[in-house]
Amino acid sequence: MKRIVRFPKRKSHKKVHVRWTDAVPVPGSPPQKRYFNIETLFNAITQLFNTHDRVFTPVIQAAMGPAPLGSLNFNLISENAYQLTFHLQAANIRRKRASFRVVIAKNEKECSSILQAEQGHLKLLQERYDKGVLAPLRNGIVYLPDHRGRQLEPRELYTYMTRWPGAHGVLGITNPRQLSILDSERHVCSVAATGQIQQQMLEILLATYDENERHGIHLPELELTDFIAQYNGKTKTRVWLSNCRKVQSRLTPAKLLHACLEKTWDDPNEVFPLAPEDPRLVWNALLSVLPKEKAANTLSEYHQALQNGRLKSSMPEYIDVLMQIALS
């Protein structure tokens, strides 16, 4: 007979121990506007875990088992205009451990709306390409009281959790040929490693495209920091899409490839292209997602659109080399 393990109800003095680290470890990152005191958020979530949490605890116990939680450590790892992202390290009373990413909106209005839409986009894109998209495991609401104790309606901050992909950081620009991975330090990638990252970003954008629906990621609003990457020194770097604010319909394969090859990101001092310095990496990205004949047809369709003037390239010589690679 299968043994049923029953855990006693948590006594009032057996509270979950919650720790917080409020320090975004991105060197040189500009200050971001916040709409509430961060301590108010910390107190609200600490209280949530010690009452009736239906947002985070189900995901944590699904990974570690039904034993009561013992300790939680939230470490703020990145911040942008509309969200805070934490590394959550959880342990239960049986000393099992698990890690997650927790993303929380910065206000109850536009930031929560953006995050809610993004959660839906990521879920859809993850169904198309599980390997390269960090999709939410669960979403919910954190109720934020007024920190001054006024009798106001609590603010509802949208939140979701994803799996923890291991130590990682957001991407930053070092120069037009090199990226950095920003975690607690700035790890400058070699030119070769940067090319690997660019190829993987292209693979994600191509693999999350649905040709039948003519539907994919809207590149004009895609930021470099929407990707995260693991820094593994000399070994191959792994890349995921972690944010996606907007998707797009009526997107042909040629228009998608054109948008990818023309896409650039800039900071105050540098401009960085999505297209790798070596055109062979673009061809490799196409081959990783499509059969060779289909990849060649997509590239040929794009080249034809350039020749008849429907699209215009800022780097025609690069495209010519890419065509030669595909035909060789």
Side-chain angles (χ1 to χ4, degrees), residues 246-265:
K246 190 174 181 179
V247 290
Q248 177 180 351
S249 299
R250 299 180 181 179
L251 184 64
T252 66
K255 287 182 179 179
L256 173 63
L257 185 57
H258 179 67
C260 288
L261 297 180
E262 294 293 320
K263 178 68 177 178
T264 60
W265 294 287

Side-chain angles (χ1 to χ4, degrees), residues 244-292:
C244 179
R245 282 166 296 285
K246 190 174 181 179
V247 290
Q248 177 180 351
S249 299
R250 299 180 181 179
L251 184 64
T252 66
K255 287 182 179 179
L256 173 63
L257 185 57
H258 179 67
C260 288
L261 297 180
E262 294 293 320
K263 178 68 177 178
T264 60
W265 294 287
D266 60 330
D267 65 12
N269 301 311
E270 305 286 356
V271 176
F272 184 83
L274 172 58
E277 188 175 273
D278 185 350
R280 290 176 296 183
L281 298 180
V282 177
W283 180 238
N284 290 344
L286 284 164
L287 291 179
S288 72
V289 174
L290 302 170
K292 185 175 182 180

Side-chain angles (χ1 to χ4, degrees), residues 36-316:
F36 49 78
N37 289 332
I38 199 72
E39 294 79 10
T40 306
L41 174 65
F42 295 167
N43 292 336
I45 294 183
T46 299
Q47 182 178 2
L48 182 65
F49 273 108
N50 284 290
T51 52
H52 300 288
D53 170 40
R54 295 185 178 91
V55 180
F56 306 105
T57 300
V59 176
I60 297 171
Q61 291 186 325
M64 300 193 304
L69 301 180
S71 64
L72 302 163
N73 184 21
F74 283 82
N75 179 35
L76 184 61
I77 56 173
S78 67
E79 178 178 3
N80 61 27
Y82 66 95
Q83 70 180 34
L84 300 161
T85 302
F86 296 89
H87 175 198
L88 168 58
Q89 297 170 291
N92 64 20
I93 63 172
R94 293 185 177 272
R95 299 184 180 179
K96 289 187 177 180
R97 299 179 181 276
S99 289
F100 307 89
R101 289 174 77 250
V102 175
V103 184
I104 302 176
K106 296 179 73 173
N107 68 25
E108 73 278 17
K109 297 178 181 179
E110 66 274 12
C111 295
S112 284
S113 296
I114 292 171
L115 210 63
Q116 186 172 6
E118 178 174 273
Q119 182 263 345
H121 299 156
L122 289 172
K123 185 176 180 179
L124 174 65
L125 298 173
Q126 187 263 349
E127 291 173 357
R128 297 175 183 173
Y129 192 54
D130 178 69
K131 177 182 175 182
V133 180
L134 281 182
L137 300 170
R138 188 179 181 89
N139 59 279
I141 298 294
V142 172
Y143 294 93
L144 199 67
D146 181 69
H147 73 283
R148 295 177 180 173
R150 295 173 295 186
Q151 297 299 315
L152 301 174
E153 289 293 323
R155 291 162 285 181
E156 299 181 354
L157 305 181
Y158 195 86
T159 182
Y160 65 79
M161 298 175 70
T162 75
R163 64 185 177 86
W164 179 253
H168 66 273
V170 297
L171 294 172
I173 300 171
T174 300
N175 59 55
R177 301 181 67 209
Q178 290 177 278
L179 290 171
S180 298
I181 299 174
L182 309 172
D183 50 28
S184 58
E185 301 177 16
R186 178 184 290 270
H187 306 283
V188 177
C189 302
S190 66
V191 173
T194 297
Q196 289 181 0
I197 293 172
Q198 290 168 299
Q199 178 180 329
Q200 288 185 66
M201 289 192 289
L202 285 171
E203 290 172 3
I204 292 169
L205 296 171
L206 294 169
T208 53
Y209 172 69
D210 187 325
E211 184 175 358
N212 293 329
E213 298 291 332
R214 293 289 198 263
H215 185 270
I217 295 171
H218 184 64
L219 267 75
E221 292 195 24
L222 185 69
E223 299 293 340
L224 182 60
T225 51
D226 292 335
F227 294 93
I228 61 173
Q230 283 184 336
Y231 180 75
N232 296 320
K234 296 182 180 180
T235 60
K236 185 175 181 180
T237 302
R238 180 80 186 276
V239 180
W240 294 269
L241 179 72
S242 62
N243 300 325
C244 179
R245 282 166 296 285
K246 190 174 181 179
V247 290
Q248 177 180 351
S249 299
R250 299 180 181 179
L251 184 64
T252 66
K255 287 182 179 179
L256 173 63
L257 185 57
H258 179 67
C260 288
L261 297 180
E262 294 293 320
K263 178 68 177 178
T264 60
W265 294 287
D266 60 330
D267 65 12
N269 301 311
E270 305 286 356
V271 176
F272 184 83
L274 172 58
E277 188 175 273
D278 185 350
R280 290 176 296 183
L281 298 180
V282 177
W283 180 238
N284 290 344
L286 284 164
L287 291 179
S288 72
V289 174
L290 302 170
K292 185 175 182 180
E293 183 177 355
K294 181 66 175 177
N297 289 340
T298 299
L299 189 54
S300 178
E301 179 186 336
Y302 172 50
H303 190 243
Q304 187 176 9
L306 294 175
Q307 289 183 321
N308 62 26
R310 287 189 292 119
L311 298 173
K312 186 174 182 180
S313 173
S314 62
M315 45 183 185

